[in-house]
Short mmCIF file of all heavy atoms in Angstrom, two decimals:
data_model
loop_
_atom_site.label_atom_id
_atom_site.label_comp_id
_atom_site.label_asym_id
_atom_site.label_seq_id
_atom_site.Cartn_x
_atom_site.Cartn_y
_atom_site.Cartn_z
N HIS M 223 -109.43 -32.07 -39.49
CA HIS M 223 -110.50 -31.27 -39.95
C HIS M 223 -110.61 -30.06 -38.80
O HIS M 223 -110.83 -30.38 -37.69
CB HIS M 223 -111.83 -31.99 -40.08
CG HIS M 223 -111.85 -33.00 -41.12
ND1 HIS M 223 -111.46 -34.36 -40.91
CD2 HIS M 223 -112.04 -32.88 -42.49
CE1 HIS M 223 -111.52 -35.00 -42.02
NE2 HIS M 223 -111.78 -34.09 -42.91
N PRO M 224 -110.48 -28.90 -39.20
CA PRO M 224 -110.53 -27.70 -38.35
C PRO M 224 -111.92 -27.53 -37.64
O PRO M 224 -112.99 -27.94 -38.28
CB PRO M 224 -110.20 -26.51 -39.17
CG PRO M 224 -109.57 -26.97 -40.36
CD PRO M 224 -110.15 -28.40 -40.61
N ASN M 225 -112.01 -27.25 -36.30
CA ASN M 225 -113.20 -26.96 -35.72
C ASN M 225 -113.52 -25.51 -35.95
O ASN M 225 -112.92 -24.85 -36.92
CB ASN M 225 -113.15 -27.28 -34.18
CG ASN M 225 -112.00 -26.42 -33.60
OD1 ASN M 225 -111.42 -25.57 -34.09
ND2 ASN M 225 -111.64 -26.91 -32.31
N ALA M 226 -114.42 -24.82 -35.27
CA ALA M 226 -114.89 -23.47 -35.60
C ALA M 226 -113.71 -22.61 -35.39
O ALA M 226 -113.53 -21.55 -36.19
CB ALA M 226 -116.03 -23.13 -34.74
N MET M 227 -112.89 -22.81 -34.39
CA MET M 227 -111.70 -21.87 -34.14
C MET M 227 -110.64 -21.99 -35.29
O MET M 227 -110.10 -21.02 -35.79
CB MET M 227 -111.10 -22.27 -32.77
CG MET M 227 -111.86 -21.86 -31.62
SD MET M 227 -111.06 -22.08 -30.01
CE MET M 227 -110.90 -23.85 -30.05
N GLY M 228 -110.46 -23.25 -35.73
CA GLY M 228 -109.52 -23.51 -36.89
C GLY M 228 -109.98 -22.84 -38.01
O GLY M 228 -109.23 -22.34 -38.88
N GLY M 229 -111.41 -22.98 -38.36
CA GLY M 229 -112.02 -22.33 -39.42
C GLY M 229 -111.83 -20.81 -39.49
O GLY M 229 -111.61 -20.10 -40.54
N LEU M 230 -111.89 -20.15 -38.26
CA LEU M 230 -111.68 -18.73 -38.14
C LEU M 230 -110.27 -18.34 -38.43
O LEU M 230 -110.02 -17.29 -39.17
CB LEU M 230 -112.06 -18.33 -36.68
CG LEU M 230 -111.80 -16.72 -36.47
CD1 LEU M 230 -112.78 -15.97 -37.39
CD2 LEU M 230 -111.97 -16.34 -34.99
N VAL M 231 -109.26 -19.18 -38.10
CA VAL M 231 -107.79 -18.81 -38.36
C VAL M 231 -107.70 -19.04 -39.92
O VAL M 231 -106.97 -18.12 -40.55
CB VAL M 231 -106.95 -19.80 -37.61
CG1 VAL M 231 -105.48 -19.65 -37.98
CG2 VAL M 231 -107.13 -19.67 -36.11
N MET M 232 -108.22 -19.97 -40.56
CA MET M 232 -108.12 -20.14 -41.96
C MET M 232 -108.81 -18.89 -42.65
O MET M 232 -108.17 -18.22 -43.67
CB MET M 232 -108.78 -21.41 -42.36
CG MET M 232 -108.08 -22.62 -41.96
SD MET M 232 -108.84 -24.09 -42.64
CE MET M 232 -108.53 -23.99 -44.42
N ALA M 233 -110.00 -18.56 -42.27
CA ALA M 233 -110.56 -17.39 -42.94
C ALA M 233 -109.93 -16.12 -42.68
O ALA M 233 -109.74 -15.35 -43.64
CB ALA M 233 -112.10 -17.23 -42.34
N TRP M 234 -109.28 -15.91 -41.50
CA TRP M 234 -108.48 -14.74 -41.19
C TRP M 234 -107.29 -14.69 -42.21
O TRP M 234 -106.94 -13.59 -42.83
CB TRP M 234 -107.98 -14.77 -39.86
CG TRP M 234 -106.89 -13.89 -39.50
CD1 TRP M 234 -107.05 -12.54 -39.29
CD2 TRP M 234 -105.49 -14.32 -39.13
NE1 TRP M 234 -105.79 -11.96 -38.94
CE2 TRP M 234 -104.80 -13.10 -38.84
CE3 TRP M 234 -104.78 -15.49 -39.18
CZ2 TRP M 234 -103.49 -13.07 -38.62
CZ3 TRP M 234 -103.50 -15.55 -38.79
CH2 TRP M 234 -102.87 -14.22 -38.56
N ALA M 235 -106.70 -15.77 -42.40
CA ALA M 235 -105.52 -15.84 -43.34
C ALA M 235 -105.93 -15.42 -44.77
O ALA M 235 -105.14 -14.70 -45.45
CB ALA M 235 -104.81 -17.19 -43.26
N VAL M 236 -107.00 -15.80 -45.19
CA VAL M 236 -107.59 -15.58 -46.61
C VAL M 236 -108.04 -14.22 -46.69
O VAL M 236 -107.63 -13.46 -47.59
CB VAL M 236 -108.62 -16.53 -46.92
CG1 VAL M 236 -109.23 -16.23 -48.22
CG2 VAL M 236 -108.04 -17.96 -47.10
N LEU M 237 -108.85 -13.65 -45.74
CA LEU M 237 -109.45 -12.35 -45.85
C LEU M 237 -108.44 -11.29 -45.75
O LEU M 237 -108.71 -10.21 -46.30
CB LEU M 237 -110.46 -12.30 -44.65
CG LEU M 237 -111.73 -13.03 -44.85
CD1 LEU M 237 -112.60 -13.02 -43.59
CD2 LEU M 237 -112.55 -12.49 -46.00
N LYS M 238 -107.40 -11.64 -45.19
CA LYS M 238 -106.17 -10.47 -45.10
C LYS M 238 -105.73 -10.18 -46.41
O LYS M 238 -105.17 -8.96 -46.64
CB LYS M 238 -105.02 -10.93 -44.18
CG LYS M 238 -105.29 -10.93 -42.70
CD LYS M 238 -104.00 -10.96 -41.86
CE LYS M 238 -103.21 -12.21 -42.24
NZ LYS M 238 -101.88 -12.16 -41.62
N ARG M 239 -105.81 -11.09 -47.38
CA ARG M 239 -105.28 -10.87 -48.70
C ARG M 239 -106.36 -10.25 -49.63
O ARG M 239 -106.00 -9.97 -50.76
CB ARG M 239 -104.81 -12.23 -49.19
CG ARG M 239 -103.61 -12.80 -48.64
CD ARG M 239 -102.34 -12.01 -48.94
NE ARG M 239 -102.27 -11.83 -50.40
CZ ARG M 239 -101.73 -12.61 -51.28
NH1 ARG M 239 -101.47 -13.91 -50.74
NH2 ARG M 239 -101.73 -12.28 -52.48
N LEU M 240 -107.58 -10.06 -49.07
CA LEU M 240 -108.53 -9.48 -49.98
C LEU M 240 -108.52 -7.90 -49.79
O LEU M 240 -108.57 -7.47 -48.71
CB LEU M 240 -109.89 -10.13 -49.79
CG LEU M 240 -110.02 -11.65 -49.96
CD1 LEU M 240 -111.48 -12.09 -49.70
CD2 LEU M 240 -109.46 -12.11 -51.29
N ASP M 241 -108.95 -7.28 -50.83
CA ASP M 241 -109.12 -5.78 -50.94
C ASP M 241 -110.48 -5.41 -50.64
O ASP M 241 -111.22 -5.02 -51.21
CB ASP M 241 -108.74 -5.22 -52.30
CG ASP M 241 -108.67 -3.68 -52.20
OD1 ASP M 241 -108.71 -3.17 -51.20
OD2 ASP M 241 -108.54 -3.17 -53.32
N VAL M 242 -110.69 -5.44 -49.17
CA VAL M 242 -111.98 -5.17 -48.65
C VAL M 242 -111.86 -4.21 -47.46
O VAL M 242 -110.96 -4.03 -46.86
CB VAL M 242 -112.78 -6.42 -48.20
CG1 VAL M 242 -113.11 -7.33 -49.32
CG2 VAL M 242 -111.95 -7.14 -47.11
N PRO M 243 -112.98 -3.42 -47.09
CA PRO M 243 -112.89 -2.50 -46.05
C PRO M 243 -112.53 -3.29 -44.74
O PRO M 243 -113.14 -4.35 -44.47
CB PRO M 243 -114.31 -1.92 -45.95
CG PRO M 243 -114.78 -1.98 -47.41
CD PRO M 243 -114.34 -3.37 -47.86
#
Side-chain angles (χ1 to χ4, degrees):
H223 298 92
N225 58 16
M227 292 186 292
L230 180 65
V231 176
M232 291 182 68
W234 165 73
V236 174
L237 289 168
K238 287 198 304 176
R239 290 291 310 280
L240 302 184
D241 186 8
V242 292

